[in-house]
Amino acid sequence: MKNQLMNCQNLTGICYVEEADNLPLDELQRLADKINSYDFVEYAYIEHTDTPPPFRQLLDNKTEQIYNPPNFNPLQGYQGGTTSNHIGIDIEYAWSLGIVGQGIRRADIEGGFDFEHVNLQRKSFINLSPEYPLKNEHGTAVAGIMYAKDMGLGIKGLVNGADTFYGVSEAPAGRVNGIAKALKYLT
């Protein structure tokens, strides 16, 4: 680490198991469990090395929903605090203190994003995978939960005032490569 930046040229520790695609799933899981048991391993998981299938793409007939969504803020129950029958994160308390994500740079690795969505359009929502322009409902929804502008329509992102939100598509080269790409921009 130099100047708080990750050296992505030498991603020590990120590895894969050759011929793993030829192993049965239960054997792969045992292998991942064994690797995870070592103290020096932070996280091991099973991922196919081929490109994931395309995610459900936004359709043209959803234009009205994207550019004129109803106000879904009251349905975001996870924003509230914990009650006897609900566990929330009480982000509303943080907001009442003026904390909306200032000083945070955030990355999300998904299948794709709609960077033109009315709740997400801004210069600080940066596409790190412009070569893969898939507009994906799930990626757009996750980005909205975290970063949607407070507009009184659609939803309000938990850290809607974060300095930067990077959208990274895992579709071109897989999740690990998406993480490596995002690490270049995060400290």
Side-chain angles (χ1 to χ4, degrees):
M1 304 258 310
K2 284 185 177 179
N3 302 324
Q4 301 283 339
L5 298 176
M6 176 69 71
N7 177 358
C8 291
Q9 299 302 317
N10 181 16
L11 293 171
T12 304
I14 294 181
C15 60
Y16 68 94
V17 177
E18 288 188 38
E19 304 298 322
D21 287 339
N22 298 328
L23 298 173
L25 185 58
D26 60 332
E27 193 172 332
L28 284 172
Q29 188 59 56
R30 281 195 299 277
L31 180 59
D33 292 343
K34 178 68 175 171
I35 293 170
N36 271 318
S37 72
Y38 294 115
D39 291 341
F40 58 88
V41 173
E42 183 175 337
Y43 182 65
Y45 67 98
I46 300 167
E47 177 178 284
H48 290 285
T49 55
D50 57 341
T51 302
F55 294 84
R56 197 169 117 192
Q57 192 162 346
L58 291 169
L59 304 174
D60 289 338
N61 63 0
K62 295 208 173 191
T63 302
E64 181 65 23
Q65 290 177 334
I66 293 171
Y67 297 103
N68 190 21
N71 183 1
F72 292 118
N73 290 324
L75 302 176
Q76 292 181 269
Y78 53 83
Q79 292 178 350
T82 300
T83 64
S84 60
N85 60 358
H86 175 76
I87 297 176
I89 61 173
D90 205 6
I91 195 70
E92 292 159 344
Y93 176 71
W95 291 339
S96 75
L97 299 175
I99 300 168
V100 292
Q102 307 91 317
I104 294 174
R105 288 188 286 166
R106 167 99 170 62
D108 185 24
I109 294 94
E110 299 287 350
F113 304 87
D114 182 0
F115 289 88
E116 300 301 315
H117 191 286
V118 67
N119 284 117
L120 296 171
Q121 288 178 341
R122 53 176 126 176
K123 290 179 181 171
S124 56
F125 185 29
I126 299 171
N127 184 357
L128 293 185
S129 303
E131 73 284 359
Y132 196 78
L134 179 65
K135 294 180 178 182
N136 176 264
E137 288 180 358
H138 177 76
T140 303
V142 172
I145 288 168
M146 296 304 300
Y147 197 56
K149 294 182 278 189
D150 181 11
M151 302 173 61
L153 55 88
I155 65 173
K156 179 178 177 180
L158 300 173
V159 291
N160 59 75
D163 295 349
T164 309
F165 191 97
Y166 299 104
V168 185
S169 176
E170 67 181 23
R175 187 169 298 134
V176 170
N177 286 314
I179 292 168
K181 185 182 275 192
L183 285 174
K184 293 178 183 179
Y185 297 87
L186 302 173
T187 56

